[in-house]
C-alpha cells in the first residue's frame, strides 16, 4: 500500500477525526500538492464563526483553489451527481435526483 493509500485508509477509518486529515494535508504540501492547503483551509474555517472576517478570508482562498482544481479533486463523483460539497478537504455531501441515483447507485 502506498503512502497515499495509507493516509486515505486512516481518514476513512476515522472520518470524524481531523488528525489524520491534517497529517495527510501536511504530506500533500511536502509533495507540492495544493490540496494540502485546501484541507488545512477547510478545517481551519470550520472552527471559526460563520461569516467572520477570518472565515471569509479563508473561504476566498478555498474558492481560488477550487476554481483551479475542483474537477480533479471531485473525481468521477462530479459526473455522477447533480451537486456535491467539500468539507474538511473531501467530498462529503452529494445531491441527485432519485432517477439518477437509481441509474448510478453502483458507481456512487
Amino acid at each position: 500500500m502506498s503512502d497515499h493509500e495509507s493516509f486515505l485508509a486512516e481518514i476513512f477509518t476515522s472520518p470524524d477525526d481531523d488528525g489524520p486529515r491534517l497529517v495527510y494535508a501536511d504530506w500533500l504540501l511536502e509533495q507540492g500538492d495544493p490540496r494540502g492547503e485546501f484541507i488545512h483551509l477547510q478545517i481551519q474555517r470550520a472552527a471559526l464563526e460563520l461569516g467572520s472576517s477570518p472565515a471569509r478570508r479563508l473561504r476566498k482562498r478555498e474558492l481560488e483553489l477550487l476554481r483551479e482544481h475542483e474537477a480533479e479533486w471531485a473525481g468521477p463523483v462530479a459526473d455522477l451527481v447533480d451537486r456535491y460539497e467539500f468539507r474538511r478537504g473531501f467530498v462529503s455531501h452529494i445531491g441527485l435526483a432519485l432517477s439518477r441515483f437509481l441509474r448510478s447507485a453502483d458507481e456512487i
Side-chain angles (χ1 to χ4, degrees), residues 1 23 27 37 41 48 50 64 66 69 82 86 101 108:
M1 184 180 294
V23 170
W27 180 80
E37 178 187 3
L41 289 168
L48 298 172
L50 187 65
E64 290 170 358
L66 279 175
H69 303 284
D82 298 327
F86 285 91
F101 173 75
I108 294 171

Side-chain angles (χ1 to χ4, degrees), residues 7-57:
F7 286 124
L8 293 179
E10 179 66 28
I11 291 166
F12 296 148
T13 299
S14 306
D16 296 327
D17 184 358
D18 285 335
R21 290 171 192 258
L22 293 169
V23 170
Y24 179 56
D26 289 341
W27 180 80
L28 288 171
L29 287 170
E30 290 171 5
Q31 310 305 306
D33 188 328
R35 189 167 185 183
E37 178 187 3
F38 180 72
I39 293 168
H40 274 288
L41 289 168
Q42 286 211 313
I43 290 173
Q44 290 170 4
R45 189 170 58 85
L48 298 172
E49 182 180 336
L50 187 65
S52 68
S53 179
R56 287 194 313 270
R57 189 171 50 256

Side-chain angles (χ1 to χ4, degrees), residues 58-74:
L58 294 175
R59 180 66 177 152
K60 180 181 176 188
R61 179 61 182 147
E62 284 176 39
L63 292 174
E64 290 170 358
L65 289 167
L66 279 175
R67 275 192 289 279
E68 191 171 341
H69 303 284
E70 182 173 6
E72 173 190 354
W73 295 343

